[in-house]
Amino acid sequence: EPEVTQTPSHQVTQMGQEVILRCVPISNHLYFYWYRQILGQKVEFLVSFYNNEISEKSEIFDDQFSVERPDGSNFTLKIRSTKLEDSAMYFCASSQQGLQYFGPGTRLTVT
Amino acid sequence: ELKVEQNPLFLSMQEGKNYTIYCNYSTTSDRLYWYRQDPGKSLESLFVLLSNGAVKQEGRLMASLDTKARLSTLHITAAVHDLSATYFCAGDYNQGGKLIFGQGTELSVKP
């Protein structure tokens, strides 16, 4: 069964450093998303991406964040200058239209 | 803006008992989803509820949707330890749109 994959599974970085989180969505899906989950809290929407552009973004998704689909398969989330409060689990999801399938997540730890 | 609230947030059950998790949402939602999350893991889709009166069942879990009351329920029948996890409901505005998650219900099933 096709699945969403994410790399790395765990990333440790120092405050102020740039990180890139990578996702490979399910191949025939058209909609791509990033969500985050701070430990013990609910899942929060960051951004959605369709037709090679951002379709919606949340207040969390400020100028420090960017997304890209550099080729036909990868979907990346870049955080330009990480802060302590960016420490969270980041989930990528994809969908045809409707049900969103989630990847295994990348745990980002900012020290 | 759609708001989704679940209750209870924590639920400790004995094996063999029945219980219901409630999910209220504030405005019209096109669809209602239920996801399961095991500790440190990703979100696994359980149910997608599309219309008023929709009922779906899988094993010991049954989900229903009442769009007039803006309420979805996840009913657990004769709980077993394997059902221990956190359960999230989520709504969306439109196909391809962001998911708005509830806070999650942490279910613990004890022998």
Side-chain angles (χ1 to χ4, degrees):
Chain A
E1 188 175 320
E3 57 183 21
V4 177
T5 60
Q6 289 184 244
T7 54
S9 56
H10 191 188
Q11 172 97 44
V12 181
T13 190
Q14 287 192 325
M15 202 166 50
Q17 296 296 304
E18 174 184 287
V19 293
I20 297 176
L21 310 183
R22 291 184 166 80
C23 168
V24 179
I26 294 173
S27 62
N28 61 346
H29 284 185
L30 304 173
Y31 298 84
F32 313 112
Y33 312 83
W34 284 100
Y35 293 84
R36 80 170 185 192
Q37 185 180 33
I38 293 170
L39 186 63
Q41 297 187 23
K42 68 178 179 180
V43 179
E44 300 174 288
F45 168 77
L46 292 177
V47 66
S48 57
F49 193 86
Y50 171 71
N51 203 23
N52 283 319
E53 60 182 25
I54 290 174
S55 45
E56 190 171 4
K57 58 183 181 179
S58 72
E59 290 174 356
I60 304 166
F61 194 88
D62 62 22
D63 292 344
Q64 294 299 311
F65 291 87
S66 62
V67 288
E68 205 176 34
R69 189 154 159 83
D71 53 41
S73 56
N74 289 284
F75 180 50
T76 62
L77 174 70
K78 183 194 289 187
I79 309 174
R80 255 180 281 285
S81 177
T82 49
K83 307 185 193 77
L84 292 175
E85 53 265 36
D86 293 328
S87 294
M89 194 77 157
Y90 288 80
F91 292 107
C92 173
S94 70
S95 74
Q96 273 276 26
Q97 212 178 27
L99 180 60
Q100 293 180 25
Y101 294 83
F102 284 76
T106 293
R107 180 167 297 286
L108 177 65
T109 302
V110 183
T111 62
Chain B
E1 168 92 350
L2 176 64
K3 286 185 170 49
V4 180
E5 290 192 356
Q6 290 179 235
N7 73 84
L9 301 184
F10 298 95
L11 181 52
S12 182
M13 296 176 66
Q14 278 195 310
E15 276 191 331
K17 299 289 187 185
N18 305 333
Y19 211 82
T20 301
I21 299 170
Y22 297 89
C23 174
N24 288 94
Y25 54 97
S26 60
T27 64
T28 302
S29 176
D30 271 2
R31 282 170 287 204
L32 203 292
Y33 303 82
W34 285 95
Y35 285 89
R36 168 183 170 143
Q37 186 180 40
D38 290 295
K41 303 287 186 186
S42 187
L43 293 137
E44 175 193 350
S45 170
L46 294 174
F47 301 108
V48 183
L49 301 167
L50 300 177
S51 59
N52 190 41
V55 176
K56 290 201 174 176
Q57 181 157 9
E58 179 77 33
R60 299 173 189 276
L61 301 178
M62 183 173 73
S64 65
L65 180 63
D66 180 345
T67 56
K68 291 177 184 170
R70 295 185 186 152
L71 171 69
S72 180
T73 60
L74 181 67
H75 186 73
I76 303 148
T77 303
V80 292
H81 179 69
D82 285 353
L83 290 179
S84 297
T86 299
Y87 293 85
F88 290 94
C89 64
D92 71 0
Y93 282 118
N94 50 59
Q95 295 181 18
K98 65 184 179 188
L99 292 179
I100 305 292
F101 283 83
Q103 311 96 309
T105 297
E106 188 179 329
L107 173 66
S108 174
V109 181
K110 302 186 187 306

